[in-house]
């Protein structure tokens, strides 16, 4: 890229979801309601798993980490988006935009990797029940979670490194309510084809590989469970867990913030523990 004289863009203008005041107010109520549902829901999941002595298996440790990532992910764009509904000119600094991009890709990719780890956990629990505690010990769980975070960090660094070296000298309007990487690259004052190719390959590879791995693992597990469908309650519980994971995999394409809540609603032990937690710490105080 040849150096050139240009005025560097210091901020971006976000067009938002709508320019109509009435529509913005409706959207504000919808997104605020959704955010206030997601945030306490994930916090409740984490508190329940941390405080209930019966929820100590690796599955719940991984679920708590997934809930934490979703709290983080939802807080990257939602607060600013909600504030921007009441701002005439929606701005974000260049540094703020890069920071937003970094955490969106970091947390998003980490969640994809963590869902794959959770699929492996279910495989070990169902296919190797006698060795499950040995295979999925706390040390390995911590390593796998750390590797998920590391994978997300490396992916995000690649994305950001490609963005920050691009020159931005002309238009600074993004047709979005957050710093969407495709929108940012589109307004760069240079040929961005090589950068876009690397970005698409990096994001696409992670999404496709994780998605295929998840689908194959659960197809294999469900096939095994169908063969042993007459073995009673344990098989029913295992199938319920698998179905909740599959629902998560489908929803990750639509709305990833619902992942822990969907999983929890399909898990009998967590729901019972939540009721105990509410009765112990909320209802008792009211009495």
């Amino acid at each position: 890229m040849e150096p050139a004289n240009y005025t560097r863009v210091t901020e971006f203008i976000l067009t938002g979801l709508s320019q109509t005041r009435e529509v913005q107010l409706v959207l504000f109520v919808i997104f605020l309601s959704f955010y206030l549902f997601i945030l306490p829901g994930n916090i409740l999941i984490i508190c329940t798993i941390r405080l209930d002595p019966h929820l100590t298996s690796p599955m719940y440790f991984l679920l708590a980490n997934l809930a934490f990532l979703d709290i983080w992910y939802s807080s990257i764009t939602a607060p600013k988006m909600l504030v921007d509904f009441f701002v005439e000119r929606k701005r974000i600094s260049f540094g703020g935009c890069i920071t937003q991009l970094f955490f969106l890709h970091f947390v998003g990719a980490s969640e994809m990797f963590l869902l794959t780890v959770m699929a492996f956990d279910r495989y070990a629990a169902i296919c190797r029940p006698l060795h499950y505690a040995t295979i999925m010990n706390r040390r390995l769980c911590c390593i796998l979670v750390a590797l998920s975070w590391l994978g997300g960090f490396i992916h995000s660094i690649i994305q950001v490194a490609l963005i920050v070296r691009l020159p931005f000298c002309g238009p600074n309007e993004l047709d979005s309510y957050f710093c969407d990487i495709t929108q940012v690259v589109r307004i760069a004052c240079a040929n961005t084809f090589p950068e876009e190719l690397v970005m698409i390959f990096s994001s696409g590879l992670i999404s496709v590989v994780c998605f295929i791995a998840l689908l194959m693992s659960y197809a294999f597990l469900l096939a095994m469970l169908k063969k042993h469908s007459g073995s009673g309650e344990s098989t029913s519980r295992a199938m319920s867990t698998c179905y909740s994971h599959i629902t998560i995999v489908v929803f990750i394409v639509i709305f990833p913030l619902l992942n822990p809540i969907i999983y929890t609603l399909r898990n009998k032990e967590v729901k019972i523990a939540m009721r105990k937690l509410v009765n112990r710490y909320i209802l008792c105080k009211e009495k």
Side-chain angles (χ1 to χ4, degrees):
M1 191 178 302
E2 295 294 329
N5 295 322
Y6 57 84
T7 303
R8 186 173 182 83
V9 170
T10 58
E11 67 176 13
F12 295 106
I13 306 298
L14 304 173
T15 60
L17 294 172
S18 173
Q19 302 300 320
T20 308
R21 188 63 180 168
E22 292 76 14
V23 175
Q24 288 187 19
L25 290 174
V26 172
L27 291 173
F28 172 79
V29 172
I30 293 172
F31 282 104
L32 179 62
S33 303
F34 218 31
Y35 185 61
L36 292 179
F37 170 71
I38 296 296
L39 199 62
N42 282 314
I43 292 173
L44 180 59
I45 291 170
I46 295 172
C47 292
T48 302
I49 292 172
R50 291 282 296 173
L51 296 174
D52 194 294
H54 301 99
L55 304 179
T56 57
S57 73
M59 177 176 66
Y60 301 115
F61 173 75
L62 297 174
L63 176 59
N65 278 274
L66 182 66
F68 174 75
L69 285 176
D70 277 348
I71 291 171
W72 196 357
Y73 191 83
S74 63
S75 300
I76 296 170
T77 58
K80 176 168 175 51
M81 178 187 66
L82 293 171
V83 171
D84 281 348
F85 280 124
F86 298 97
V87 177
E88 186 68 28
R89 196 167 174 82
K90 303 167 180 58
R91 294 188 176 97
I92 185 169
S93 67
F94 182 84
C97 183
I98 296 302
T99 302
Q100 198 177 76
L101 281 173
F102 172 79
F103 284 109
L104 278 172
H105 285 270
F106 172 38
V107 180
S110 298
E111 186 166 330
M112 287 292 295
F113 290 129
L114 186 59
L115 285 171
T116 309
V117 171
M118 292 176 75
F120 174 74
D121 170 72
R122 290 300 84 205
Y123 168 81
I126 295 170
C127 299
R128 304 276 189 236
L130 298 179
H131 303 92
Y132 175 64
T134 305
I135 296 171
M136 293 299 293
N137 56 71
R138 181 50 66 99
R139 182 172 177 273
L140 179 61
C141 286
C142 292
I143 290 173
L144 291 174
V145 169
L147 288 175
S148 298
W149 285 51
L150 179 62
F153 178 79
I154 293 171
H155 165 72
S156 187
I157 282 292
I158 293 172
Q159 304 292 309
V160 170
L162 292 170
I163 285 287
V164 295
R165 63 187 293 273
L166 294 174
F168 297 93
C169 53
N172 66 338
E173 188 174 277
L174 303 178
D175 187 19
S176 181
Y177 62 92
F178 70 101
C179 275
D180 182 5
I181 194 167
T182 57
Q183 294 287 329
V184 175
V185 171
R186 194 171 298 163
I187 62 173
C189 305
N191 176 22
T192 59
F193 179 74
E195 286 81 4
E196 289 184 73
L197 201 62
V198 175
M199 289 174 186
I200 292 171
F201 178 78
S202 176
S203 298
L205 184 66
I206 290 174
S207 301
V208 171
V209 170
C210 289
F211 194 74
I212 291 175
L214 287 165
L215 290 182
M216 289 180 63
S217 64
Y218 287 120
F220 175 73
L221 289 174
L222 290 175
M224 283 195 60
L225 289 170
K226 289 291 184 183
K227 289 182 180 179
H228 301 86
S229 57
S231 56
E233 185 183 351
S234 60
T235 300
S236 176
R237 289 174 57 190
M239 289 188 72
S240 178
T241 304
C242 282
Y243 286 136
S244 66
H245 275 275
I246 292 169
T247 308
I248 287 172
V249 173
V250 174
F251 264 81
I252 196 169
V253 180
I254 304 168
F255 204 83
L257 306 181
L258 292 173
N259 290 346
I261 294 173
I262 294 167
Y263 185 93
T264 300
L265 293 175
R266 296 283 299 180
N267 190 286
K268 184 178 179 181
E269 288 84 357
V270 179
K271 286 192 288 186
I272 292 172
M274 279 185 174
R275 291 193 196 101
K276 290 180 180 177
L277 187 69
V278 171
N279 290 332
R280 187 187 311 163
Y281 291 96
I282 297 177
L283 298 181
C284 289
K285 287 183 180 180
E286 290 180 356
K287 293 179 181 179

